[in-house]
Amino acid sequence: VPYAEFCSTRSSGARSHGACAEEIRYGRAATSLLTARDSEGLRGSVRRAWLADPRAEYVFECLHREYLGLLEVLLIAEVAPTLPMAAVWKALCKVIKTNWKTDTQVAFRRNWLLSLGLTERTSSGDSITQAGKAVLAAHNVESEALRPALTLALAESVQAEPDADPEDEEGSGPETKTGAIGPGPVAVAVAGSLWAELDLSAKNLGDHLGKLKLEPRLLDQLTAAVCAGKHILFVGPPGTGKTELAIALARAAQAEGYCAGLFTATASADWTTFDTIGGYAMQKDQSLAFRPGAFLRAIQEQKWLLIDELNRADIDRAFGELMTVLAGQGADTHYELPDGQLVSIGDEEHRTFRVPRSFRVLATMNVWDKASLFRLSYAVQRRFAMIYVGVPPDDVYASILAAAAEDGALLPMLEKSYLTVIRRLFSQDALLSVREIGPAVALDMVRYLRRRGNHGDGIAEAIEMFVLPQLQGVTERAARLAKVHCIEALGAAASVKARASLNARFDDLFPGLGTNDE
């Protein structure tokens, strides 16, 4: 509040030059303090005490005694600085049990904290300063008691927010989906953990794998790599659970407060830095303004970033300045925010988009995909730890199929004879000796057969639909072996028509094999 305006609107009581200077310094907070309700001579006693000790901490203490929700708003600036005002308003009403009709009271409290220097305003919201952290530390018992209820209220208010206007999403770049990932911990990260070194174990990860079955050695390898500061690239054949494993890792990190969920984007061949970093986009008023890409949106929302099918994009072209950021250095761009600041990315405090120390990029790459495939440069590979997710051993593979054969009550169980056939087909002595095919493909077959009603032609049909597409690109010798194993799997149950159809499909893919059943 400018000094002249302050004096003209709050003229009661004598003020020394020093007092006026402090009133100017603390602005809205000082004005609110000195005009608080005058119960039992409060205003006079507060003024005298304040003049004797005109520190921001004292002004906060006085406001905190007089107004509900001030400490809660400061705590929100620490745990969720990028939440929209509407979400903060709803959460605060629930925690302090009030029924404010608008977010005006929240705005007042945010402005008080800002004028006291306890928070700072950025393009993405109000974040806590070192002075604010000191105030929270002084109220440690009270703030820690507030955290559980406040965190839950914030998560519920975010989930209750309506989806964004579809018009805002036009031209937004990559195919994306956002939000909390699955059940469990709420999607609000603990700010202290955002800047802490990761400390995840195989057990942390194992608690979030669900039905995904992986070797313990792989879990140890993955958690060690991510805690060593590396971004992770999951590599392997299709259907081995690479994306599920990435989601499970993010869930484990979310449960420990290292992130607020997972932001997922699917790479494509036409990706540029507009899709990853962002760029100028047309607004509803026909003006141009900077719109963050997938990487910056993930940072804004305190989430980890998952890029599915990374090798479908020319990453060197699409990442641009992010190559420097992924190497642990800050980077500046030529884009300008509405307030005139240049878009800069890094972990330093002056960056407009600060990258938390706990932030990770997770990516998946299908090694068998020959369509729309870009080679990853050594510079890109250097910035990731490559985790190979292959097909599980035969016993684990068989247990996955056995569980799927009777999982769920809406479908009939798969007959044991069919389960035996599929388990034998997807083993190292049969189809997996030709090509590594992940359990997801076999599970598709199991679900299809259960829906098909254990029909005799079902295996032939399922092989056509799910197995043959995975054999594209194998050598003629490998294709011949695969055909032998598939024909053996049919047994005597398949009709002549089903067998002929399967042979014809093999001939379409591999003309040199012939149509015999040997």
Side-chain angles (χ1 to χ4, degrees):
V1 179
Y3 173 66
E5 180 183 345
F6 185 94
C7 289
S8 64
T9 57
R10 310 296 178 195
S11 57
S12 62
R15 292 188 300 276
S16 67
H17 175 76
C20 290
E22 292 299 333
E23 289 163 3
I24 295 170
R25 175 184 173 192
Y26 295 139
R28 294 183 180 93
T31 303
S32 301
L33 172 64
L34 297 180
T35 56
R37 65 183 185 274
D38 197 9
S39 59
E40 299 179 356
L42 169 70
R43 192 181 305 165
S45 61
V46 164
R47 178 183 296 278
R48 287 190 296 273
W50 177 52
L51 289 176
D53 185 18
R55 294 176 300 121
E57 293 83 354
Y58 177 75
V59 179
F60 174 87
E61 296 301 330
C62 294
L63 289 170
H64 176 45
R65 286 197 299 268
E66 279 300 301
Y67 297 93
L68 284 173
L70 189 62
L71 183 63
E72 288 84 347
V73 173
L74 182 60
L75 193 57
I76 291 172
E78 181 193 51
V79 301
T82 62
L83 282 186
M85 177 75 85
V88 176
W89 164 43
K90 293 177 182 177
L92 195 59
C93 286
K94 185 170 184 177
V95 171
I96 66 176
K97 296 179 173 57
T98 188
N99 188 28
W100 292 330
K101 301 301 182 184
T102 70
D103 60 12
T104 302
Q105 294 296 329
V106 179
F108 283 159
R109 285 155 177 77
R110 293 179 76 177
N111 288 334
W112 296 342
L113 296 173
L114 180 67
S115 69
L116 291 172
L118 305 183
T119 62
E120 59 183 0
R121 189 148 294 168
T122 67
S123 59
S124 56
D126 285 6
S127 59
I128 195 167
T129 62
Q130 289 299 325
K133 291 178 181 178
V135 169
L136 276 187
H139 291 265
N140 183 60
V141 174
E142 187 178 359
S143 60
E144 288 304 314
L146 283 171
R147 278 184 193 276
L150 186 61
T151 301
L152 181 60
L154 287 170
E156 291 175 349
S157 66
V158 169
Q159 292 167 4
E161 284 291 294
D163 293 333
D165 188 335
E167 291 184 19
D168 290 340
E169 299 299 320
E170 293 181 5
S172 60
E175 175 188 343
T176 58
K177 53 186 177 180
T178 63
I181 45 179
V186 294
V188 178
V190 178
S193 297
L194 290 178
W195 297 97
E197 297 291 342
L198 289 187
D199 184 17
L200 295 173
S201 65
K203 183 184 184 306
N204 294 136
L205 178 54
D207 292 340
H208 299 272
L209 290 177
K211 297 178 181 179
L212 192 61
K213 295 185 178 181
L214 299 167
E215 293 184 88
R217 176 177 172 273
L218 177 61
L219 303 186
D220 290 331
Q221 178 185 358
L222 174 56
T223 51
V226 77
C227 291
K230 299 301 293 184
H231 304 287
I232 305 296
L233 175 56
F234 296 95
V235 179
T240 54
K242 298 182 293 296
T243 302
E244 289 182 70
L245 182 54
I247 292 173
L249 179 60
R251 282 178 178 158
Q254 181 184 358
E256 298 301 314
Y258 294 119
C259 67
L262 191 64
F263 187 102
T264 303
T266 303
S268 66
D270 58 356
W271 257 23
T272 66
T273 54
F274 183 86
D275 303 285
T276 56
I277 297 175
Y280 294 119
M282 189 72 71
Q283 308 301 303
K284 289 183 179 180
D285 61 0
Q286 304 304 306
S287 64
L288 286 176
F290 178 76
R291 175 177 290 172
F295 190 96
L296 297 191
R297 287 180 64 183
I299 292 172
Q300 281 183 318
E301 298 176 22
Q302 299 182 357
K303 295 175 180 176
W304 284 10
L305 173 63
L306 170 60
I307 303 177
D308 236 349
E309 306 293 349
L310 179 72
N311 53 327
R312 290 180 177 270
D314 184 346
I315 292 301
D316 292 279
R317 179 177 65 126
F319 272 28
E321 294 90 338
L322 294 181
M323 295 290 285
T324 301
V325 176
L326 290 177
Q329 306 297 321
D332 298 311
T333 75
H334 61 278
Y335 297 114
E336 189 174 295
L337 296 172
D339 61 4
Q341 296 185 81
L342 288 179
V343 172
S344 62
I345 314 164
D347 63 359
E348 301 93 338
E349 289 191 8
H350 70 275
R351 300 292 180 182
T352 51
F353 288 87
R354 292 192 67 192
V355 182
R357 188 175 295 126
S358 63
F359 175 76
R360 296 292 185 272
V361 176
L362 311 178
T364 66
M365 186 171 78
N366 174 8
V367 295
W368 297 120
D369 193 354
K370 300 300 182 183
S372 184
L373 181 65
F374 286 88
R375 294 178 61 87
L376 299 182
S377 69
Y378 290 115
V380 173
Q381 295 180 47
R382 169 69 181 81
R383 286 154 174 78
F384 289 85
M386 292 197 178
I387 303 295
Y388 186 81
V389 186
V391 297
D394 283 355
D395 58 337
V396 176
Y397 212 128
S399 67
I400 294 172
L401 297 178
E406 56 186 27
D407 184 39
L410 297 180
L411 295 176
M413 291 178 58
L414 184 66
E415 289 184 7
K416 289 185 177 180
S417 59
Y418 288 108
L419 176 60
T420 300
V421 168
I422 296 177
R423 288 170 65 171
R424 185 167 60 244
L425 180 62
F426 289 92
S427 69
Q428 295 295 333
D429 292 332
L431 203 55
L432 301 186
S433 67
V434 176
R435 164 158 282 186
E436 289 187 302
I437 299 177
V441 177
L443 292 175
D444 286 338
M445 286 188 64
V446 170
R447 284 188 286 267
Y448 176 78
L449 288 172
R450 293 180 66 182
R451 174 62 68 180
R452 188 75 165 84
N454 295 307
H455 192 277
D457 289 349
I459 290 182
E461 296 164 356
I463 290 173
E464 279 190 47
M465 288 186 286
F466 305 118
V467 175
L468 289 187
Q470 303 301 320
L471 297 177
Q472 295 187 56
V474 301
T475 65
E476 183 175 317
R477 179 178 179 277
R480 190 176 300 279
L481 285 173
K483 182 178 180 182
V484 169
H485 294 307
C486 290
I487 295 299
E488 286 180 351
L490 299 183
S495 66
V496 173
K497 184 176 181 179
R499 297 167 71 90
S501 176
L502 181 57
N503 272 305
R505 288 290 293 118
F506 262 105
D507 288 343
D508 290 341
L509 288 176
F510 310 102
L513 296 186
T515 58
N516 56 62
D517 288 357
E518 291 76 25

